[in-house]
């Protein structure tokens, strides 16, 4: 079966699934493989749960007319997504960057949805599987698509661009993330800039923050739509970010000055696509972060900033700097290890430990094997979360505290909430 024939089956229902527990009736089920699973083994379950056809790549599982045998299920999924994208005559905006990708994507989606039927990446499905699934979730009535792209090695962004064929792009920033894969900050810049390179080759357009020197340098020669602090003014962040656009104040539910560029990008993109100032303001003011991303949680007498979805040296530094500037006399910090830093890991964790000595926080807890190797004074350090939990038993602070919880996803620091 060639890709055109497979596409014909896809267009009967425009549904693609990869998890037998979440199958929608009439979908195409792609039997993907991973290190610990083989989707080919779930043919019968997929059909039983409502899949119309199952795409497999192991002949021994071809048991009915409803199974379609291909050479490689993943490559077929990617090719189908690319074929579908070419049938969609719509703008597709790709977003990447070291920090703030998902928040920016959600803000842009909220703004554009005020005027257009907008489909965007769900959660952080931003890799070689997530990008195809995002494209295949776009229907004939979709007006604009937003595709988040993540990467931890060179050539990944270029590969995802080849599938998604974006005609607009935005890079949030270039920071110390995934250094293990990229090798260095220079590698990060080169890797993320693959989006600019694709946009340049295909004569698309990049949204560029003129206040970011690296963005300006890397986007030379690219058709660019610029924005800066003169167009979208930064007002304050205490704790929530306020901006001003065309003499209108916009009060977000996002904390930290580091979220200002994310908000500014959403405003600029909305403005370019002719979303009214009133609708832009409404979209941003009604967006509330979820999923452990800069969430404000009231826990008894305490106010918790839960930022436990991800962490790297750049985002950790920004979070601590912002936390230090917030009002409040009783501030407590819980930090977890930052992953994927390779040979720079110990150095970067020590830098964060050194930074903490400059701030007058009431208490600081460091959790994780990497933080445990740092040299610190007057800071509580634990090698594992279990060690931390055992020693603290029940965290009781008698006076109202402002609390920051931040760490990489695998640290699962949101568990601290149960101890407070």
């Amino acid at each position: 079966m060639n890709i055109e024939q497979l596409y014909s089956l896809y267009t009967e229902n425009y549904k693609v699934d990869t998890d037998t527990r979440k199958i929608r009736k009439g979908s195409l089920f792609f039997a993907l493989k991973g290190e610990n699973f083989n989707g080919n083994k779930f043919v019968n379950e997929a059909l039983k749960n409502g899949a119309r056809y199952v795409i497999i790549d192991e002949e021994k599982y071809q048991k009915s007319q409803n199974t379609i045998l291909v050479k490689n299920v993943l490559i077929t999924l990617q090719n189908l997504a690319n074929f579908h994208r070419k049938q969609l005559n719509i703008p597709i905006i790709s977003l990447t960057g070291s920090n703030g990708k998902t928040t920016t994507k959600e803000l842009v989606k909220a703004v554009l949805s005020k005027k257009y039927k907008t489909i965007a990446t769900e959660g952080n499905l931003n890799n070689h599987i997530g990008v195809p699934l995002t494209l295949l979730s776009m229907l004939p009535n979709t007006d604009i698509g937003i595709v988040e792209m993540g990467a931890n090695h060179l050539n990944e962004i270029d590969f995802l661009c080849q599938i998604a064929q974006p005609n607009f792009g935005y890079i949030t920033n270039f920071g110390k993330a995934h250094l293990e894969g990229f090798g260095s900050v220079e590698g990060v810049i080169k890797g993320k800039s693959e989006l600019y390179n694709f946009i340049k080759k295909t004569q698309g357009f990049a949204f560029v923050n003129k206040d970011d020197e690296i963005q300006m340098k890397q986007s030379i020669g690219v058709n660019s739509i610029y924005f800066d602090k003169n167009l979208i003014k930064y007002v304050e962040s205490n704790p929530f970010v306020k901006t001003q656009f065309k003499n209108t104040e916009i009060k977000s539910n996002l904390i930290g000055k580091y979220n200002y560029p994310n908000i500014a990008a959403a405003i600029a993109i909305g403005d370019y696509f002719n979303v009214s100032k009133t609708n832009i303001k409404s979209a941003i003011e009604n967006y509330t972060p979820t999923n452990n991303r800069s969430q404000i949680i009231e826990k008894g007498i305490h106010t918790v900033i839960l930022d436990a979805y991800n962490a790297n040296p750049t985002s950790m530094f920004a979070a601590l700097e912002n936390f230090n500037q917030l009002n409040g006399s009783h501030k407590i910090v819980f930090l977890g290890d930052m992953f994927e830093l390779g040979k720079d890991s110990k150095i970067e964790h020590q830098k964060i430990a050194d930074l903490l000595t400059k701030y007058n926080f009431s208490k600081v807890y460091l959790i994780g094997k990497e933080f445990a190797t740092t040299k610190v004074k007057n800071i509580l350090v634990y090698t594992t979360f279990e060690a931390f939990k055992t020693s603290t038993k029940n965290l009781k602070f008698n006076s109202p505290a402002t609390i920051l919880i931040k760490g990489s996803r695998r640290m699962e620091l949101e568990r601290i909430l149960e101890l407070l």
Side-chain angles (χ1 to χ4, degrees), residues 210-211 227-234 244 246 260:
K210 288 174 72 175
D211 297 324
F227 65 93
D228 61 13
K229 60 179 176 288
N230 293 316
L231 176 68
I232 302 155
K233 293 181 174 62
Y234 170 75
Q244 189 179 68
K246 294 182 178 178
Y260 159 69

Side-chain angles (χ1 to χ4, degrees), residues 242-261:
K242 289 182 184 177
T243 56
Q244 189 179 68
F245 175 60
K246 294 182 178 178
N247 298 317
T248 298
E249 189 172 79
I250 300 174
K251 303 173 184 177
S252 78
N253 293 304
L254 290 162
I255 61 162
K257 190 174 181 179
Y258 53 85
N259 266 310
Y260 159 69

